[in-house]
Amino acid sequence: MPADALVPPALRDVQVRPRTEGWQQAKDAAGRPLLQFASPKRGKPPTHLADLDPAERRARLVELGLPAFRAGQIARHYFTRYTSDPAEMTDLPAAGREELVSGLLPELMTEVRRFTTDRGDTIKFLWKLHDGALVESVLMRYPGRITLCVSSQAGCGMNCPFCATGQAGLTRNMSAAEIVDQVVRANRVVADGQLGGKRAGETTPERVSNIVFMGMGEPLANYNRLMSAVRTMVAPAPDGLAMSARHITVSTVGLVPAIRKLADEQVPVTFALSLHAPDDHLRDELIPVNSRWKVDEALDAARAYFDATGRRVSIEYALIKDMNDHGWRADLLAEKLNARGHGWVHVNPIPLNPTPGSVWTASEPEVQREFVRRLEAAGIPTTIRDTRGKEIDGACGQLAAADA
Ligand code: SAH
């Protein structure tokens, strides 16, 4: 590959390789890092309103021998008042109300624990699903927006050695409703005034405005449920959460066929690619799925996403000391992005967050500055991610959902 000719041979020799301590990266029969695409079979979560479209919700009630027209009322309670409690639904007849509500809103997850930091404006939730699987979501207040980082799978099968979620492998895919319920439950917490940092005198009702699929799991490995959840998030009230697709970010390790499918969906979500290295030489080791889809294929798919949607894409780049933070890698990244045009992409460097068993650390501040300077000098808009919740193991790559 001509661009990789830029890799100085001397630097290839001194390349620091990913290493771990205290845990073993799972390997396949050929000795390569194990990739798990298929969800292990487990008991299915109960079918919930948020797994169904409006017609299916009515059909579901009929199936249960209940009046179909109540589906809209129940949806309104769930999506606009964030409640699943029949006691709060006084517009439904008292007789048979419990049965009606539990038919469409079975309990999907229970809150096991809540961790709070940043004076209360960052909250990490630990949820237990019906089969005991544990997942996390992180709620963050920023000036002018409230962002929820959601999980799409319990665990993750992509096995990236610097990410805590991958260390235990994939437990299972989450259902569409389990994905949506994280948002509804967070909205309830916000509506109840439990998220800190609200400005004094602010009276407008608040709710989650932005979603990032950057919690546990690889969203594009759970494609159909991801898309079903996204459609419910953007559906107008009372059928869904009436969110803006552009405020929903789907982040992927780079499953190229799924990126191309996403581009055709007519739901212009914001797209983010976890690149972390501009050369296959290093990316093969940092991102095991690079064995299937190489850097150039992933970047071509990202560019195609921009062409199909007009949405500027993000390239995520965790800056890891002496591993991927070399000046020449910034130059190579800029060259590969500029080779595919201008104005279609920006880079989001993420200072590496510590994870158990990982022996490396974030880049030195001056190295980080130089990396950003080189990208910007090449005309690539670059913003360092303000990563939240390190103290509560709630930051990028730290979600392990351990109940300890
Ligand atoms: N599976 C999706 C979502 C993962 S989390 C994906 O790979 O994109 C979102 C981002 O956090 C990804 O870019 C991921 O690579 C990054 N990340 C993982 N571990 C990290 C760590 N220890 N420090 C900083 N960022 C990390």
Side-chain angles (χ1 to χ4, degrees):
M1 183 187 309
D4 279 1
L6 281 179
V7 180
L11 278 173
R12 280 186 184 222
D13 296 341
V14 299
Q15 175 65 56
V16 176
R17 315 224 84 87
R19 265 190 317 124
T20 54
E21 256 172 18
W23 72 283
Q24 285 281 310
Q25 193 179 34
K27 298 279 163 64
D28 64 16
R32 283 190 293 258
L34 180 71
L35 289 168
Q36 292 170 277
F37 288 98
S39 176
K41 289 260 170 297
R42 304 197 26 143
K44 271 205 172 151
T47 301
H48 183 279
L49 174 96
D51 290 308
L52 308 171
D53 67 26
E56 291 168 336
R57 292 168 193 168
R58 289 190 293 274
R60 174 87 183 141
L61 285 186
V62 172
E63 211 179 279
L64 296 171
L66 298 165
F69 74 96
R70 298 286 182 197
Q73 279 169 294
I74 297 174
R76 186 176 297 279
H77 283 293
Y78 182 68
F79 290 120
T80 71
R81 299 182 59 229
Y82 322 125
T83 181
S84 300
D85 180 2
E88 294 182 20
M89 304 185 190
T90 48
D91 58 335
L92 296 173
R97 191 194 294 168
E98 301 246 346
E99 189 194 1
L100 189 60
V101 174
S102 65
L104 275 186
L105 302 175
E107 178 158 286
L108 295 174
M109 48 191 215
T110 49
E111 186 177 331
V112 178
R113 197 166 296 176
R114 201 183 279 201
F115 307 79
T116 300
T117 185
D118 296 326
R119 284 172 267 92
D121 57 12
T122 300
I123 302 175
K124 180 173 87 166
F125 300 92
L126 175 63
W127 304 106
K128 183 180 272 175
L129 307 181
H130 81 103
D131 56 350
L134 296 171
V135 298
E136 294 180 323
S137 25
V138 186
L139 180 62
M140 296 162 278
R141 182 192 294 279
Y142 290 93
R145 69 180 198 275
I146 295 176
T147 298
L148 185 71
C149 178
V150 295
S151 294
S152 56
Q153 298 181 309
C156 186
M158 296 297 110
N159 212 350
C160 303
F162 55 94
C163 176
T165 309
Q167 295 182 10
L170 177 62
T171 303
R172 69 165 168 89
N173 281 332
M174 293 174 74
S175 67
E178 286 170 332
I179 297 171
V180 171
D181 204 39
Q182 295 170 74
V183 188
V184 172
R185 302 285 288 264
N187 275 338
R188 184 66 193 237
V189 167
V190 172
D192 288 347
Q194 293 169 23
L195 177 64
K198 189 170 175 170
R199 276 210 210 104
E202 185 71 71
T203 52
T204 46
E206 294 187 304
R207 61 184 199 134
V208 171
S209 57
N210 295 58
I211 304 277
V212 293
F213 278 88
M214 297 185 187
M216 301 176 76
E218 167 48 46
L220 295 188
N222 187 17
Y223 190 89
N224 291 341
R225 294 175 193 87
L226 164 76
M227 282 317 301
S228 165
V230 167
R231 285 183 208 289
T232 299
M233 289 170 187
V234 303
D239 294 334
L241 285 166
M243 299 187 70
S244 146
R246 59 184 51 229
H247 290 162
I248 299 175
T249 300
V250 173
S251 174
T252 178
V253 77
L255 308 188
V256 166
I259 299 171
R260 295 192 175 274
K261 207 159 142 191
L262 185 68
D264 289 337
E265 292 279 0
Q266 311 288 317
V267 186
V269 294
T270 298
F271 174 73
L273 172 67
S274 295
L275 194 68
H276 306 313
D279 54 306
D280 290 319
H281 187 64
L282 178 59
R283 195 169 193 265
D284 278 342
E285 300 197 33
L286 281 182
I287 309 288
V289 87
N290 204 62
S291 60
R292 303 273 179 107
W293 297 286
K294 296 296 176 195
V295 169
D296 285 313
E297 292 170 88
L299 290 177
D300 287 344
R303 169 71 213 203
Y305 190 84
F306 171 79
D307 291 335
T309 61
R311 306 280 305 132
R312 192 169 75 154
V313 311
S314 290
I315 301 294
E316 296 164 283
Y317 199 107
L319 280 171
I320 314 176
K321 184 177 175 177
D322 295 335
M323 177 89 60
N324 65 352
D325 59 359
H326 314 94
W328 66 266
R329 283 202 160 97
D331 297 342
L332 180 57
L333 174 59
E335 182 183 304
K336 289 198 168 194
L337 298 179
N338 284 331
R340 290 167 172 84
H342 299 278
W344 68 280
V345 69
H346 71 118
V347 173
N348 211 197
I350 315 171
L352 187 84
N353 293 304
T355 58
S358 136
V359 294
W360 58 88
T361 176
S363 302
E364 298 297 336
E366 64 276 15
V367 173
Q368 176 177 309
R369 272 196 298 277
E370 174 64 6
F371 199 89
V372 171
R373 191 196 64 73
R374 288 189 186 220
L375 289 170
E376 286 177 340
I380 306 288
T382 303
T383 353
I384 300 277
R385 180 174 298 169
D386 166 15
T387 157
R388 286 273 188 98
K390 238 200 293 202
E391 316 72 34
I392 52 173
D393 282 347
C396 305
Q398 293 187 315
L399 302 186
D403 183 18

